[in-house]
Amino acid sequence: MEPFDPAELPELLKLYYRRLFPYAQYYRWLNYGGVVKNYFQHREFSFTLKDDIYIRYQSFNNQSDLEKEMQKMNPYKIDIGAVYSHRPNQHNTVKLGAFQAQEKELVFDIDMTDYDDVRRCCSSADICSKCWTLMTMAIRIIDRALKEDFGFKHRLWVYSGRRGVHCWVCDESVRKLSSAVRSGIVEYLSLVKGGQDVKKKVHLSENVHPFVRKSISIIKKYFEGYALVGQDILENKESWDKILALVPETMHNDLQQNFQKHHSSLQRWEYLKKAASQCPSNIKNEKCGPWLEWEIMLQYCFPRLDINVSKGINHLLKSPFSVHPKTGRISVPIDLQKVDQFDPFAVPTISSICHELDAIFTSEAEKEENQAESDIKHRTRDYKKTSLAPYVKVFEQFLENLDKSRKGELLKKSDLQKDF
């Protein structure tokens, strides 16, 4: 992937917002078919400009208004907020207390830094292909639950551009949910509890909830390759002491002795499972058998959600197709059919797609020809000539499904009215 130089960012952003940003699809998404009057006009956007200048409560009349403003401001980052009772750009003129956040997609934010206590390859903002498997498991686990346990149909997963993923649940009924209901949903999806000073963060009850069982079966598909081989979580005494802190003390001596006799994380894990199945479960509050194994797997692999992002209706979240100012990578939608193949390092950077565009227009003849065309005509095709195209296609497929379901709902309503 093209090396990214942050010093070039202002110039690259100009080109990106003028020629490559998929405005039509973006507007089509947030306008939701124009079914609700002023839905788009009442949406908050926030822009972060050069030198961390932060502007909240931006709002726009239509697609062309949004385009003009983005091309004028060239934001380093775009965040999307709630749909308010009034136009956000007029919030100062509204009577105190009347300006209220009314609707927003249900959003989830999963950030790799929240796994720093259990990943050995990287820490803080760094990621690599070894720990990216954590995001793959997170998408699989959360998406399955949103779809099957809650029946949510329209789920857009987006790479954050650096070290995490976001999910936007866009069903009409979901956008209307209260903060309390959102809290309930995110609580249902949370298992890993406790801060840095809490060693054991997962406690299963004897009757394991079906959601947890299904999550464990997803983790099992990845656990050996990710945790035992890639992360080598039982490689040496320092790493296995972390795991011993999660098992009953009565097992410590036996495990310490036997771990030294084995030569790999794989062998040590097999021994731990065997020991867990034999340990007496009559010790007060201590679980053995498969529970022990599951609690360790969940602590090391289960998704860690930022609860506050999901709870608040007025919480801002970084927009799809925003550019990450540190990495230059575009926040692109993730194809749910190809989650395992998604590679954050192969995601186009703003420099790579701008250079691809330059390469297309290098021949002078073509340049002259194109200058005669309108800018609008350009844009509809320009991203298609770059490596951003497949990601816009994923987004379009998502929009297609939203449209179909909206039309289905409208048909249902008109049929119901005919019945009366």
Side-chain angles (χ1 to χ4, degrees):
M1 194 44 73
E2 189 103 15
F4 167 68
D5 176 4
E8 290 181 359
L9 194 56
E11 282 311 304
L12 294 171
L13 284 169
K14 273 184 196 166
L15 188 58
Y16 178 62
Y17 291 129
R18 209 178 81 240
R19 302 276 292 278
L20 291 162
F21 191 89
Y23 291 106
Q25 294 87 338
Y26 191 73
Y27 176 75
R28 183 177 155 201
W29 170 38
L30 294 172
N31 192 42
Y32 288 104
V35 175
V36 179
K37 194 171 180 290
N38 290 332
Y39 205 76
F40 181 79
Q41 290 78 358
H42 286 197
R43 171 79 71 167
E44 178 190 2
F45 293 86
S46 116
F47 291 167
T48 307
L49 310 180
K50 194 170 185 273
D51 304 323
D52 280 335
I53 295 166
Y54 187 53
I55 312 175
R56 277 200 71 172
Y57 301 118
Q58 303 270 84
S59 58
F60 309 102
N61 283 321
N62 48 36
Q63 183 184 328
S64 125
D65 207 11
L66 171 81
E67 285 183 37
K68 281 186 195 126
E69 203 56 28
M70 275 166 64
Q71 289 168 14
K72 187 176 105 188
M73 308 282 252
N74 295 311
Y76 272 47
K77 179 172 173 243
I78 306 161
D79 286 295
I80 298 175
V83 175
Y84 282 84
S85 50
H86 303 74
R87 291 176 187 241
N89 60 3
Q90 296 169 4
H91 73 108
N92 285 328
T93 65
V94 177
K95 196 164 75 239
L96 207 62
F99 181 67
Q100 296 287 337
Q102 290 183 324
E103 290 193 14
K104 200 188 73 188
E105 297 75 11
L106 172 63
V107 293
F108 298 96
D109 179 7
I110 308 170
D111 193 322
M112 198 74 89
T113 45
D114 293 325
Y115 295 84
D116 277 0
D117 59 320
V118 291
R119 58 182 185 141
R120 300 181 67 210
C121 48
C122 306
S123 65
S124 68
D126 294 331
I127 62 164
C128 69
S129 56
K130 277 184 184 173
C131 54
W132 187 257
T133 307
L134 285 166
M135 293 295 126
T136 307
M137 289 189 276
I139 294 173
R140 289 221 173 276
I141 288 168
I142 301 297
D143 193 70
R144 186 216 60 77
L146 294 173
K147 180 184 176 182
E148 296 175 14
D149 303 359
F150 291 100
F152 300 154
K153 288 192 177 73
H154 304 288
R155 308 166 314 278
L156 178 69
W157 285 90
V158 181
Y159 170 49
S160 73
R162 192 178 197 179
R163 55 171 186 237
V165 293
H166 300 152
C167 177
W168 299 76
V169 186
C170 301
D171 303 39
E172 187 189 347
S173 56
V174 177
R175 303 197 303 268
K176 295 177 162 59
L177 295 177
S178 68
S179 192
V181 175
R182 290 167 198 254
S183 301
I185 294 170
V186 77
E187 195 55 47
Y188 173 94
L189 297 168
S190 301
L191 271 184
V192 181
K193 308 269 172 80
Q196 285 170 321
D197 42 350
V198 180
K199 281 189 176 149
K200 190 171 170 69
K201 294 183 165 78
V202 178
H203 297 272
L204 293 178
S205 58
E206 216 163 312
N207 294 327
V208 178
H209 191 283
F211 162 62
V212 179
R213 284 189 183 275
K214 286 174 180 167
S215 301
I216 292 165
S217 68
I218 290 172
I219 291 170
K220 277 183 176 166
K221 294 182 183 125
Y222 297 92
F223 191 74
E224 185 177 309
Y226 162 71
L228 303 176
V229 178
Q231 296 290 328
D232 211 353
I233 60 171
L234 293 165
E235 180 189 12
N236 51 31
K237 188 174 184 321
E238 187 195 348
S239 60
W240 74 56
D241 278 348
K242 279 186 163 180
I243 286 187
L244 291 185
L246 311 178
V247 307
E249 263 180 53
T250 46
M251 296 175 69
H252 285 198
N253 288 342
D254 172 46
L255 289 174
Q256 282 287 10
Q257 285 168 11
N258 281 283
F259 278 180
Q260 281 159 25
K261 293 178 192 164
H262 292 96
H263 302 295
S264 71
S265 285
L266 280 160
Q267 291 175 355
R268 293 179 186 120
W269 180 252
E270 282 311 311
Y271 184 80
L272 186 146
K273 289 198 309 195
K274 196 174 112 189
S277 67
Q278 291 166 355
C279 92
S281 54
N282 53 5
I283 312 156
K284 190 173 182 296
N285 294 337
E286 296 287 17
K287 282 191 294 299
C288 295
W291 285 273
L292 194 56
E293 173 197 339
W294 295 340
E295 284 177 341
I296 297 168
M297 288 168 83
L298 291 163
Q299 179 147 341
Y300 272 74
C301 301
F302 189 81
R304 300 178 173 204
L305 302 171
D306 184 330
I307 291 184
N308 292 325
V309 173
S310 304
K311 260 182 7 188
I313 298 179
N314 56 357
H315 209 293
L316 293 155
L317 186 62
K318 182 181 190 177
S319 167
F321 298 103
S322 194
V323 178
H324 197 293
K326 296 269 194 319
T327 61
R329 290 191 205 121
I330 313 281
S331 276
V332 291
I334 297 170
D335 185 348
L336 283 174
Q337 307 302 313
K338 299 177 182 164
V339 175
D340 289 303
Q341 286 85 52
F342 182 82
D343 175 3
F345 300 103
V347 164
T349 63
I350 187 165
S351 20
S352 68
I353 57 174
C354 287
H355 292 161
E356 286 167 14
L357 194 62
D358 282 347
I360 294 161
F361 293 107
T362 43
S363 85
E364 279 310 304
E366 198 181 357
K367 265 192 177 158
E368 279 166 32
E369 220 178 9
N370 279 302
Q371 269 158 6
E373 290 182 31
S374 75
D375 222 16
I376 296 283
K377 230 174 176 181
H378 256 332
R379 247 196 336 264
T380 53
R381 293 193 323 263
D382 281 354
Y383 71 81
K384 287 185 177 169
K385 299 170 181 167
T386 71
S387 49
L388 192 60
Y391 299 99
V392 178
K393 211 166 179 47
V394 172
F395 190 44
E396 285 173 339
Q397 190 50 63
F398 167 77
L399 295 175
E400 219 33 57
N401 293 335
L402 260 177
D403 279 354
K404 271 188 202 148
S405 125
R406 195 165 35 239
K407 284 171 187 150
E409 283 304 310
L410 290 171
L411 278 172
K412 245 194 248 168
K413 275 184 191 160
S414 65
D415 284 350
L416 281 172
Q417 279 160 357
K418 277 180 202 159
D419 290 345
F420 282 106

